[in-house]
């Protein structure tokens, strides 16, 4: 039945509105592919995560070194029980924790080895920084899943990250 207006003129039939089921399915497939590609690219790889976490740990160690240099007191870093603790030698010659500098190592990251002056030692040994600016060479071997980054320090006080 044709529609007629009040003036008696027949109205043209309206074109169909909306999308067909096939068009909607094509859009959903394209959106799914784009989301899947984005999710793969947004999740960091193990090597990126290991590098980021090792870099943060290296920065904590550099800060402890700077505390010794600028604060005029020996400072030590202890990496034990999946924690980083910074200690400072007090007036009474006892080691005291530095407030606000104790933190847990990220999940999955652990200290695999510690070498001080070329000699392997227990990873729980303190890493000492003196106020004179001279350091003892060290190497902290880390492990994060299959990644093995390391933090090294030389006699001149330079600290760097080795990503493997």
């Amino acid at each position: 039945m044709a529609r007629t207006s009040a003036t008696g003129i027949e109205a043209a039939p309206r074109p169909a509105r909306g999308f067909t089921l096939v068009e909607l399915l094509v859009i959903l497939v394209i959106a799914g592919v784009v989301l899947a590609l984005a999710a793969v690219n947004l999740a960091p790889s193990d090597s990126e995560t290991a590098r980021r976490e090792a870099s943060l740990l290296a920065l904590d160690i550099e800060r402890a070194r700077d505390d010794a240099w600028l604060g005029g007191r020996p400072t030590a870093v202890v990496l034990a029980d999946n924690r980083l603790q910074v200690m400072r030698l007090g007036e009474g010659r006892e080691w005291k924790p530095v407030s606000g500098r104790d933190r847990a190592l990220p999940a999955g990251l652990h200290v695999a080895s510690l070498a001080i002056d070329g000699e392997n030692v227990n990873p729980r040994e303190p890493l000492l920084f003196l106020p004179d600016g001279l350091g003892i060479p060290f190497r902290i071997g880390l492990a994060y899943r299959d990644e093995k980054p390391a933090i090294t320090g030389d006699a001149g006080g330079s600290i760097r990250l080795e990503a493997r």
Side-chain angles (χ1 to χ4, degrees), residues 28 57 69 99-100 103 118 155:
L28 286 174
L57 185 58
W69 287 359
S99 157
R103 74 171 181 93

Side-chain angles (χ1 to χ4, degrees), residues 12-132:
R14 287 187 178 168
R17 291 188 195 175
F19 297 102
T20 66
L21 181 59
V22 172
E23 291 170 329
L24 288 175
L25 288 175
V26 167
I27 290 170
L28 286 174
V29 167
I30 291 171
V33 168
V34 168
L35 284 174
L37 290 174
V40 167
N41 290 330
L42 291 178
S45 68
D46 285 350
S47 63
E48 290 170 333
T49 302
R51 184 172 182 80
R52 182 185 68 235
E53 298 301 343
S55 294
L56 291 174
L57 185 58
L59 287 173
D60 286 336
I61 293 170
E62 282 183 339
R63 185 173 173 201
R65 178 209 58 198
D66 293 347
D67 285 351
W69 287 359
L70 302 173
R73 292 181 189 236
T75 304
V77 172
V78 179
L79 298 164
D81 303 323
N82 285 338
R83 298 194 71 71
L84 171 126
Q85 186 176 29
V86 178
M87 312 279 283
R88 181 170 292 138
L89 191 62
E91 293 290 335
R93 311 288 297 161
E94 71 282 347
W95 289 99
K96 295 181 181 178
V98 176
S99 157
R101 300 284 296 281
D102 182 22
R103 74 171 181 93
L105 296 180
L109 182 72
H110 70 275
V111 178
S113 64
L114 173 62
I116 299 176
D117 205 15
E119 183 179 326
N120 287 328
V121 297
N122 184 333
R124 297 162 111 21
E125 288 289 319
L127 190 55
L128 184 63
F129 296 101
L130 299 174
D132 63 7

